[in-house]
Amino acid sequence: MSPDLPPVVPSVTAELVGALSARLRKRLDAGVTKLLARPVTRDGDTVRISVDDETDVVLHAPSGAVTGADAIRCGCLLAPACLHRAAAASAAPVADGTADRDPDPDGATGTRDGTAQADRPNAESEPETATPAQHAAARAVFDAAAAVLEAGTDGSGAVLQAELLHAAHTARLAGLPRACAAAVSVVSAVRAARTADPAYRLTGLADALAGVLGVAHRLPHATGRELTDLRGTARQPYRPDGSLRLYGIFSEPVLTATGYAGAVTWTADADGRLYTVSDVAPGGPARATGAADRAVRIGDTALTHRELSRAGLAVSGATVSPAGRLGAGAGVRAVRASGAAWRDAPLDRLWAVPPAEQVTRALSGAQDLLFLEVTLTGTVREATGDCLLADCAGVPLRLTTAHDDPALPCRDNLRLLAAAGGSRLRIVARLVPGPHPRALLLATEHPTDPAARVDLGLDRLQHADLPPGALAPPATDAATGDEAPLHLLRRRVHQAVPGGRRVLTLAGNAPGDSARLRRLGLATAADLLDDLHAAAADRARDTFGRLLPADTGRFARSWLAAAVYTDLVEQALCAHAWGAAADEEAPPART
């Protein structure tokens, strides 16, 4: 996947790949690899790939994304039925048409009264169960995602990706934007894995696969509110919220695997309710850093995101989405107002909530920001890099970076903060569910000036900002022990993602794994592990001893059951580690 190319909507990629002959499909992966190595030039809305000295592939993206097959043109003799157009679409990021964003400053996502037209309640016309078209679309998404899991990322070339994108397009047409977005996220993660993208994370792809399989599996059987949630909404509705007096808290960069970038600024009102102002559009790391210095798109204010994070905003005629995002409709008015320090009212009330209560709120599906007061105690070395150790009300906490892209200062700032050991700081972090208390560090008080704050993804700390004589201590090695033998199941779940079914077939069930799980009280985990290996090895033969086609559905369901179980147990362990109360009624995060 090349960040230099504009995003391409799923239907375009599916159409171009589907039009290839069987012979060209076999050559598609090699064509993508070759195209990724060729020079790319951009001229406004036009991107040109030099295939050779005489042939160019041209992509037109006037709206920031390629929305039609005719917008990708090739100058070779075989065009338009050539391999180059399909390879270009397969090499580009996937445009997520269902992304939750406000695409224009006029607030076109809502109606005049602030409510999205598609989200108006209509109990008489909305069916209680999924329609036949939605049943078929959900089945198509499940089968395509199961095929990706069957092959693993190593075997999921451009053809399998295109089949999943085609299923995503079918889901969107059937009114299933959540399934469409989940399928697109899987394709983006698979492409990141196959191109050795530094931002790729195995756990992220496993979560994405579990998410799309879970939604597609549950949707045909859902009714009522569950069905509404599984369908999702293409755009979040914006509803009137009167006048608001907001105080900036911090800004963070946005950099997604689907080719979108920008900045989001978090604010709060006097009651502690959180609101966000975002500027996200197709782009890469340069746009993520540059968006912080662009004016926010609310009213006539000239405040930039960086300035708003430390100032305030008075809004009249505000429209707000259920997630707290401020709309930018024509009737919204906003002017600059004074801000507040983190230790002053009204923002100080955010840090007055006990950490355990904040974690409980995050695990229940609400916003996952944590407002903590910590004492930095050192660093620990992990496989993915060093992370900060901190004490949070007696809880040993590990703080890691939110982004690893070298264009962002997150990693450098974390290294410098390690030299401020012993400092007691207020921070803003995002919860990472797991057996040990862990969070992504987003913003912090200045190490030497409590009245100032640092946005870790946008501001760059200097040695002069540290306390006198500060010196980063050597990192210690992370503890190798696991909190429970749950890793025996988790590692099999993760092994299947890059290697597919064949990895579990070859690995087999290590002697004693299931027995150890049962001995320590994890009988369900042991049963799931046995079933996962049995599903992987289940290959029947015909009369002549030839292997019959594998039952991808059974393997996908067994894998999904293990992934969901692991997720739920890890949430329970996370709540226990923080001293929080686990929400037994909360659905698993992945599905």
Side-chain angles (χ1 to χ4, degrees), residues 15 24 27 75 103 110 139 143 276 300 339 359 383 420 440 453 518 549 555:
E15 178 182 346
L24 290 180
R27 298 170 50 191
R139 184 65 196 178
D143 291 343
T276 60
D300 298 325
V359 171
L440 305 177
R453 65 193 73 162
R518 290 190 175 90
F555 178 66

PDB file of all heavy atoms in Angstrom, residues 15 24 27 75 103 110 139 143 276 300 339 359 383 420 440 453 518 549 555:
ATOM      1  N   GLU A  15     -14.287  -3.738  -9.095  1.00  0.00           N
ATOM      2  CA  GLU A  15     -14.675  -3.754 -10.508  1.00  0.00           C
ATOM      3  C   GLU A  15     -13.480  -4.012 -11.413  1.00  0.00           C
ATOM      4  O   GLU A  15     -13.554  -4.825 -12.355  1.00  0.00           O
ATOM      5  CB  GLU A  15     -15.324  -2.413 -10.879  1.00  0.00           C
ATOM      6  CG  GLU A  15     -15.723  -2.295 -12.341  1.00  0.00           C
ATOM      7  CD  GLU A  15     -16.307  -0.939 -12.676  1.00  0.00           C
ATOM      8  OE1 GLU A  15     -16.651  -0.191 -11.732  1.00  0.00           O
ATOM      9  OE2 GLU A  15     -16.418  -0.626 -13.879  1.00  0.00           O
ATOM     10  N   LEU A  24      -4.488 -12.914 -16.049  1.00  0.00           N
ATOM     11  CA  LEU A  24      -3.993 -11.663 -15.469  1.00  0.00           C
ATOM     12  C   LEU A  24      -4.152 -11.637 -13.957  1.00  0.00           C
ATOM     13  O   LEU A  24      -3.351 -11.023 -13.257  1.00  0.00           O
ATOM     14  CB  LEU A  24      -4.720 -10.483 -16.106  1.00  0.00           C
ATOM     15  CG  LEU A  24      -4.394 -10.187 -17.573  1.00  0.00           C
ATOM     16  CD1 LEU A  24      -5.189  -8.991 -18.067  1.00  0.00           C
ATOM     17  CD2 LEU A  24      -2.900  -9.945 -17.748  1.00  0.00           C
ATOM     18  N   ARG A  27      -1.184 -12.817 -12.230  1.00  0.00           N
ATOM     19  CA  ARG A  27      -0.048 -11.913 -12.293  1.00  0.00           C
ATOM     20  C   ARG A  27      -0.274 -10.627 -11.513  1.00  0.00           C
ATOM     21  O   ARG A  27       0.598  -9.757 -11.473  1.00  0.00           O
ATOM     22  CB  ARG A  27       0.239 -11.563 -13.755  1.00  0.00           C
ATOM     23  CG  ARG A  27       0.616 -12.761 -14.610  1.00  0.00           C
ATOM     24  CD  ARG A  27       0.648 -12.397 -16.088  1.00  0.00           C
ATOM     25  NE  ARG A  27       1.448 -11.194 -16.340  1.00  0.00           N
ATOM     26  CZ  ARG A  27       1.466 -10.543 -17.504  1.00  0.00           C
ATOM     27  NH1 ARG A  27       0.723 -10.983 -18.513  1.00  0.00           N
ATOM     28  NH2 ARG A  27       2.206  -9.469 -17.662  1.00  0.00           N
ATOM     29  N   GLY A  75      -1.863   4.262 -20.216  1.00  0.00           N
ATOM     30  CA  GLY A  75      -1.473   4.556 -21.578  1.00  0.00           C
ATOM     31  C   GLY A  75      -0.922   3.375 -22.348  1.00  0.00           C
ATOM     32  O   GLY A  75      -0.401   3.542 -23.453  1.00  0.00           O
ATOM     33  N   PRO A 103     -17.483  15.891   6.236  1.00  0.00           N
ATOM     34  CA  PRO A 103     -16.634  16.127   5.092  1.00  0.00           C
ATOM     35  C   PRO A 103     -16.619  17.546   4.568  1.00  0.00           C
ATOM     36  O   PRO A 103     -15.799  17.867   3.745  1.00  0.00           O
ATOM     37  CB  PRO A 103     -17.199  15.173   4.036  1.00  0.00           C
ATOM     38  CG  PRO A 103     -18.631  15.049   4.389  1.00  0.00           C
ATOM     39  CD  PRO A 103     -18.698  15.152   5.876  1.00  0.00           C
ATOM     40  N   GLY A 110     -26.015  16.582   8.010  1.00  0.00           N
ATOM     41  CA  GLY A 110     -27.262  16.618   8.751  1.00  0.00           C
ATOM     42  C   GLY A 110     -28.313  17.418   8.007  1.00  0.00           C
ATOM     43  O   GLY A 110     -28.050  18.119   7.026  1.00  0.00           O
ATOM     44  N   ARG A 139     -23.684 -12.530   4.664  1.00  0.00           N
ATOM     45  CA  ARG A 139     -23.068 -13.822   4.338  1.00  0.00           C
ATOM     46  C   ARG A 139     -21.871 -13.642   3.404  1.00  0.00           C
ATOM     47  O   ARG A 139     -20.833 -14.306   3.550  1.00  0.00           O
ATOM     48  CB  ARG A 139     -24.105 -14.727   3.669  1.00  0.00           C
ATOM     49  CG  ARG A 139     -23.580 -16.136   3.391  1.00  0.00           C
ATOM     50  CD  ARG A 139     -23.267 -16.874   4.684  1.00  0.00           C
ATOM     51  NE  ARG A 139     -22.437 -18.035   4.460  1.00  0.00           N
ATOM     52  CZ  ARG A 139     -21.991 -18.814   5.427  1.00  0.00           C
ATOM     53  NH1 ARG A 139     -22.292 -18.534   6.684  1.00  0.00           N
ATOM     54  NH2 ARG A 139     -21.246 -19.860   5.159  1.00  0.00           N
ATOM     55  N   ASP A 143     -18.085 -14.761   4.315  1.00  0.00           N
ATOM     56  CA  ASP A 143     -17.347 -15.714   3.478  1.00  0.00           C
ATOM     57  C   ASP A 143     -16.044 -15.111   2.970  1.00  0.00           C
ATOM     58  O   ASP A 143     -15.000 -15.784   2.943  1.00  0.00           O
ATOM     59  CB  ASP A 143     -18.213 -16.164   2.303  1.00  0.00           C
ATOM     60  CG  ASP A 143     -19.377 -17.046   2.742  1.00  0.00           C
ATOM     61  OD1 ASP A 143     -19.325 -17.570   3.872  1.00  0.00           O
ATOM     62  OD2 ASP A 143     -20.330 -17.210   1.945  1.00  0.00           O
ATOM     63  N   THR A 276     -15.558  17.271  20.610  1.00  0.00           N
ATOM     64  CA  THR A 276     -14.391  17.263  19.739  1.00  0.00           C
ATOM     65  C   THR A 276     -14.637  18.124  18.509  1.00  0.00           C
ATOM     66  O   THR A 276     -15.763  18.270  18.033  1.00  0.00           O
ATOM     67  CB  THR A 276     -14.046  15.831  19.271  1.00  0.00           C
ATOM     68  OG1 THR A 276     -15.158  15.274  18.555  1.00  0.00           O
ATOM     69  CG2 THR A 276     -13.696  14.947  20.453  1.00  0.00           C
ATOM     70  N   ASP A 300     -17.008  31.628  12.592  1.00  0.00           N
ATOM     71  CA  ASP A 300     -16.038  32.526  11.981  1.00  0.00           C
ATOM     72  C   ASP A 300     -14.750  32.615  12.765  1.00  0.00           C
ATOM     73  O   ASP A 300     -13.928  33.509  12.503  1.00  0.00           O
ATOM     74  CB  ASP A 300     -16.647  33.936  11.852  1.00  0.00           C
ATOM     75  CG  ASP A 300     -17.880  33.952  10.960  1.00  0.00           C
ATOM     76  OD1 ASP A 300     -17.896  33.175   9.982  1.00  0.00           O
ATOM     77  OD2 ASP A 300     -18.817  34.714  11.249  1.00  0.00           O
ATOM     78  N   GLY A 339      -9.425  30.246  27.991  1.00  0.00           N
ATOM     79  CA  GLY A 339      -9.295  28.846  28.334  1.00  0.00           C
ATOM     80  C   GLY A 339      -9.115  28.666  29.836  1.00  0.00           C
ATOM     81  O   GLY A 339      -9.343  29.576  30.633  1.00  0.00           O
ATOM     82  N   VAL A 359     -11.789   3.761  34.099  1.00  0.00           N
ATOM     83  CA  VAL A 359     -11.544   2.528  33.358  1.00  0.00           C
ATOM     84  C   VAL A 359     -12.850   1.762  33.161  1.00  0.00           C
ATOM     85  O   VAL A 359     -13.107   1.214  32.087  1.00  0.00           O
ATOM     86  CB  VAL A 359     -10.500   1.663  34.085  1.00  0.00           C
ATOM     87  CG1 VAL A 359     -10.401   0.279  33.453  1.00  0.00           C
ATOM     88  CG2 VAL A 359      -9.141   2.354  34.064  1.00  0.00           C
ATOM     89  N   ALA A 383       9.134  -5.507  23.399  1.00  0.00           N
ATOM     90  CA  ALA A 383       9.434  -5.916  22.027  1.00  0.00           C
ATOM     91  C   ALA A 383       9.166  -4.796  21.030  1.00  0.00           C
ATOM     92  O   ALA A 383       9.852  -4.673  20.010  1.00  0.00           O
ATOM     93  CB  ALA A 383       8.609  -7.150  21.666  1.00  0.00           C
ATOM     94  N   ALA A 420      12.573  12.669  33.150  1.00  0.00           N
ATOM     95  CA  ALA A 420      11.899  13.450  34.189  1.00  0.00           C
ATOM     96  C   ALA A 420      11.388  12.539  35.295  1.00  0.00           C
ATOM     97  O   ALA A 420      10.318  12.774  35.873  1.00  0.00           O
ATOM     98  CB  ALA A 420      10.748  14.244  33.584  1.00  0.00           C
ATOM     99  N   LEU A 440      -2.120   4.705  26.134  1.00  0.00           N
ATOM    100  CA  LEU A 440      -1.393   5.488  25.134  1.00  0.00           C
ATOM    101  C   LEU A 440      -1.312   6.923  25.626  1.00  0.00           C
ATOM    102  O   LEU A 440      -2.343   7.556  25.889  1.00  0.00           O
ATOM    103  CB  LEU A 440      -2.095   5.428  23.784  1.00  0.00           C
ATOM    104  CG  LEU A 440      -2.364   4.046  23.200  1.00  0.00           C
ATOM    105  CD1 LEU A 440      -3.126   4.173  21.882  1.00  0.00           C
ATOM    106  CD2 LEU A 440      -1.068   3.289  22.984  1.00  0.00           C
ATOM    107  N   ARG A 453       1.070  22.833  29.023  1.00  0.00           N
ATOM    108  CA  ARG A 453       0.782  21.450  28.657  1.00  0.00           C
ATOM    109  C   ARG A 453       1.445  21.125  27.337  1.00  0.00           C
ATOM    110  O   ARG A 453       1.774  22.020  26.549  1.00  0.00           O
ATOM    111  CB  ARG A 453      -0.729  21.220  28.584  1.00  0.00           C
ATOM    112  CG  ARG A 453      -1.406  22.015  27.493  1.00  0.00           C
ATOM    113  CD  ARG A 453      -2.918  22.044  27.614  1.00  0.00           C
ATOM    114  NE  ARG A 453      -3.371  22.889  28.701  1.00  0.00           N
ATOM    115  CZ  ARG A 453      -4.618  23.365  28.804  1.00  0.00           C
ATOM    116  NH1 ARG A 453      -5.519  23.051  27.877  1.00  0.00           N
ATOM    117  NH2 ARG A 453      -4.975  24.123  29.806  1.00  0.00           N
ATOM    118  N   ARG A 518      -6.935 -26.141  31.781  1.00  0.00           N
ATOM    119  CA  ARG A 518      -7.962 -26.706  32.662  1.00  0.00           C
ATOM    120  C   ARG A 518      -7.485 -26.755  34.113  1.00  0.00           C
ATOM    121  O   ARG A 518      -8.267 -26.514  35.036  1.00  0.00           O
ATOM    122  CB  ARG A 518      -8.335 -28.101  32.178  1.00  0.00           C
ATOM    123  CG  ARG A 518      -9.113 -28.121  30.864  1.00  0.00           C
ATOM    124  CD  ARG A 518      -9.670 -29.498  30.548  1.00  0.00           C
ATOM    125  NE  ARG A 518     -10.508 -29.464  29.367  1.00  0.00           N
ATOM    126  CZ  ARG A 518     -10.063 -29.648  28.127  1.00  0.00           C
ATOM    127  NH1 ARG A 518      -8.763 -29.906  27.928  1.00  0.00           N
ATOM    128  NH2 ARG A 518     -10.886 -29.590  27.095  1.00  0.00           N
ATOM    129  N   PRO A 549     -12.399 -29.422  -0.725  1.00  0.00           N
ATOM    130  CA  PRO A 549     -12.296 -28.023  -0.293  1.00  0.00           C
ATOM    131  C   PRO A 549     -12.528 -27.894   1.218  1.00  0.00           C
ATOM    132  O   PRO A 549     -13.396 -28.550   1.794  1.00  0.00           O
ATOM    133  CB  PRO A 549     -13.390 -27.318  -1.096  1.00  0.00           C
ATOM    134  CG  PRO A 549     -13.563 -28.172  -2.313  1.00  0.00           C
ATOM    135  CD  PRO A 549     -13.338 -29.583  -1.850  1.00  0.00           C
ATOM    136  N   PHE A 555     -13.856 -23.148  10.347  1.00  0.00           N
ATOM    137  CA  PHE A 555     -12.599 -22.638  10.903  1.00  0.00           C
ATOM    138  C   PHE A 555     -12.759 -21.186  11.349  1.00  0.00           C
ATOM    139  O   PHE A 555     -12.268 -20.794  12.418  1.00  0.00           O
ATOM    140  CB  PHE A 555     -11.496 -22.745   9.849  1.00  0.00           C
ATOM    141  CG  PHE A 555     -10.178 -22.193  10.315  1.00  0.00           C
ATOM    142  CD1 PHE A 555      -9.472 -22.790  11.337  1.00  0.00           C
ATOM    143  CD2 PHE A 555      -9.659 -21.040   9.737  1.00  0.00           C
ATOM    144  CE1 PHE A 555      -8.259 -22.269  11.781  1.00  0.00           C
ATOM    145  CE2 PHE A 555      -8.445 -20.511  10.153  1.00  0.00           C
ATOM    146  CZ  PHE A 555      -7.753 -21.127  11.185  1.00  0.00           C
TER     147      PHE A 555
END
